Amino acid sequence: MDIQNTDKLWQAAMGEFEVVLSKASYSTWLKNSYIKDIADSVATVGVANDYSVGWLKKHFHGPIVDTLAKLSGGVITEVVYTTSRKNGEPEQIDFPLIHNAVEKSATPIKPKTNTPSTLNLNPKYTFENFVVGSSNRLAHAAAEAVANDPGHAYNPLFLYGDVGLGKTHLIQAIAHRVLTNDPTKKIVYVSCEQFTNEFVESLRQGKASQFKTIYRETDLLLVDDIQFIAGKEATQEEFFHTFNYLHQRDRQIIITSDRLPKAIPTLEARLSSRFEMGMIVDINLPDIETRMAIIQSKCEEKKFAIDDKSVAYIAQHMPNNIREIEGAINRLIADCQLNHLEPSEEVVKKILEKFMSQPSQKTVNAGRIIKTTAAYYNIDVDQLTGDKRTKELVYPRQVAMYLLRHEMSLSFPVIGKEIGGRDHTTVMHACEKIEKELSKNEQAREELSNLKERLYTTSN
Ligand code: ADP
Ligand code: MG
């Protein structure tokens, strides 16, 4: 393993981070980052400012260490951060735009101007980069129609489909296209979660009218992952009024969801009927031809030369989820570059076999569950497994027990042992408690699904 080439190593690591972090986090915290040096198995990562150092340490340290350890074949075991840019001085701190669940605690700042970067759009999520196949043809056509004539074609446009199939890509492509056609158009692009957080925050700060203004002065409102509005009554109420206000004025509304409006639990009937007023269109699993085209296009995007046979091999053997296909390609590119391999069919086969023979389930072990849960809640493993019974520690501890039970099917006594030698009745109680919480608390469900995503997607 050639770890002398720190640039390539970091590039490979960034490829993995890109798939697991939101675009906002990725570009905000890892912008201009690089490996400054590697000495005695400690990699020093240079980042733009103290703010990034703080965030990375707090929220993303584990995945960085794990990824570098893996890519360096175990040579790197620790990571420290420094504020230095590759070609110059540390940057002035500019307050970052906050868009992701992990960063909820910070106050969201609204973009003042309307450009792809202030809207936090991924520059790659354009129509040009979207591969059209039978699974998404209709969704693509509807999205283009709306982008080219906002407010008139279909309003609202409701896109739905399983995770990783291109909803966010398409909704952002609309925003890109609208801005290209007319840069003066006002666009608000938010995740449902962000809408909720901003709404709640505006109430807390007594700035509800400011919130209303922002959302009502827009020409287009794009809301990603609306299913998370389930169970949030006040937010639904607010969204209902925002929706009506915009819709009556022919302002375009675009919504994505992982399911049909009717299938969103506790979604008020009046909202679900509003969502059905325009066009509802689904995105399906891509067939093999579409998968091949997507692989081809992702490799081109990354300037990675690959032959047709290898492409066909990947398309046949990878699952249909496009995000996972991208993950596999990133891994392939990293392995090829680090080990100086040409991507022949044989090489591809070998690397992907490794990738696929460790389906995510198997890479999860008790240690990882405990570590990831602790990191997710910003506490130490020792605190998680320790005796202190403060609220900040008890809940994460119970979540960890729940995950050990549900993700690994461990017995109650074994779980007790893993979590600091606790009695099996404590574990049973914890699992019941979390189950109850999940059945009635949408926020808890969301949190757990974010945590699980991190558990399974962040590399080990
Ligand atoms: P979703 O929002 O539905 O969970 P995303 O839009 O985030 O899915 O897509 C997951 C990844 O797959 C993204 O990197 C996206 O660019 C890519 N992707 C999805 N569909 C396509 C497509 N048709 N062509 C090219 N890339 C795609
Ligand atoms: Mg999405």
Side-chain angles (χ1 to χ4, degrees), residues 194-209:
Q194 189 195 351
F195 182 88
T196 308
N197 290 344
E198 286 184 11
F199 175 58
V200 171
E201 188 63 15
S202 77
L203 291 181
R204 206 175 59 77
Q205 299 182 357
K207 291 182 180 163
S209 64

Side-chain angles (χ1 to χ4, degrees), residues 141-425:
E144 259 202 323
V146 161
N148 291 333
D149 192 9
H152 299 110
Y154 318 104
N155 204 11
L157 173 62
F158 189 97
L159 296 169
Y160 77 99
D162 260 341
V163 56
L165 297 183
K167 300 182 297 292
T168 298
H169 189 137
L170 264 188
I171 197 173
Q172 294 200 11
I174 296 175
H176 279 295
R177 172 70 59 83
V178 169
L179 282 183
T180 311
N181 287 348
D182 181 356
T184 65
K185 276 264 191 281
K186 283 193 241 151
I187 300 182
V188 172
Y189 167 72
V190 280
S191 65
C192 175
E193 193 167 27
Q194 189 195 351
F195 182 88
T196 308
N197 290 344
E198 286 184 11
F199 175 58
V200 171
E201 188 63 15
S202 77
L203 291 181
R204 206 175 59 77
Q205 299 182 357
K207 291 182 180 163
S209 64
Q210 204 176 319
F211 174 87
K212 282 191 176 48
T213 311
I214 289 168
Y215 282 91
R216 291 179 192 192
E217 269 182 2
T218 189
D219 295 313
L220 283 88
L221 175 62
L222 286 64
V223 183
D224 209 356
D225 288 323
I226 196 77
Q227 72 274 6
F228 290 133
I229 207 166
K232 296 171 183 145
E233 281 164 33
T235 308
Q236 287 193 22
E237 166 97 24
E238 180 61 30
F239 191 70
F240 177 74
H241 294 300
T242 307
F243 184 102
N244 289 342
Y245 184 95
L246 296 174
H247 196 263
Q248 280 158 11
R249 288 161 182 77
D250 283 340
R251 316 263 185 80
Q252 181 70 48
I253 300 157
I254 303 141
I255 297 167
T256 75
S257 167
D258 68 352
R259 65 201 86 165
L260 278 166
K262 285 230 161 57
I264 301 176
T266 80
L267 184 70
E268 285 178 41
R270 58 178 183 169
L271 258 183
S272 122
S273 73
R274 287 296 182 293
F275 295 168
E276 288 161 3
M277 280 164 70
M279 166 91 147
I280 297 194
V281 42
D282 65 339
I283 306 186
N284 289 304
L285 291 171
D287 55 23
I288 180 113
E289 286 85 4
T290 315
R291 296 208 294 280
M292 283 170 62
I294 288 171
I295 294 162
Q296 205 58 274
S297 135
K298 298 288 168 191
C299 287
E300 263 165 41
E301 210 175 83
K302 300 201 184 280
K303 306 212 174 3
F304 182 72
I306 187 167
D307 60 293
D308 294 347
K309 272 194 171 161
S310 305
V311 171
Y313 182 87
I314 302 173
Q316 274 156 13
H317 292 84
M318 276 307 291
N320 308 4
N321 179 320
I322 299 171
R323 185 173 294 134
E324 285 177 32
I325 294 179
E326 266 194 298
I329 292 172
N330 285 347
R331 168 74 64 87
L332 174 72
I333 296 178
D335 272 23
C336 284
Q337 287 180 341
L338 288 167
N339 298 306
H340 306 291
L341 296 170
E342 289 295 318
S344 66
E345 195 188 352
E346 202 181 326
V347 167
V348 167
K349 213 165 152 174
K350 231 168 148 183
I351 293 175
L352 286 195
E353 254 163 28
K354 239 180 11 191
F355 186 85
M356 289 178 299
S357 69
Q358 334 163 314
S360 37
Q361 301 285 0
K362 285 191 196 145
T363 65
V364 166
N365 53 42
R368 180 167 169 77
I369 287 181
I370 293 170
K371 208 167 119 193
T372 311
T373 308
Y376 185 81
Y377 290 104
N378 291 320
I379 59 176
D380 295 332
V381 167
D382 288 350
Q383 292 177 305
L384 190 139
T385 57
D387 289 332
K388 240 173 132 190
R389 296 194 44 83
T390 56
K391 200 170 136 237
E392 290 70 32
L393 302 181
V394 169
Y395 188 73
R397 189 176 294 147
Q398 292 176 331
V399 168
M401 293 191 233
Y402 171 89
L403 285 172
L404 288 169
R405 178 77 184 163
H406 287 262
E407 302 304 302
M408 292 189 63
S409 310
L410 296 182
S411 70
F412 293 126
V414 169
I415 296 173
K417 234 187 244 164
E418 292 284 351
I419 309 281
R422 291 186 149 71
D423 191 72
H424 74 279
T425 52

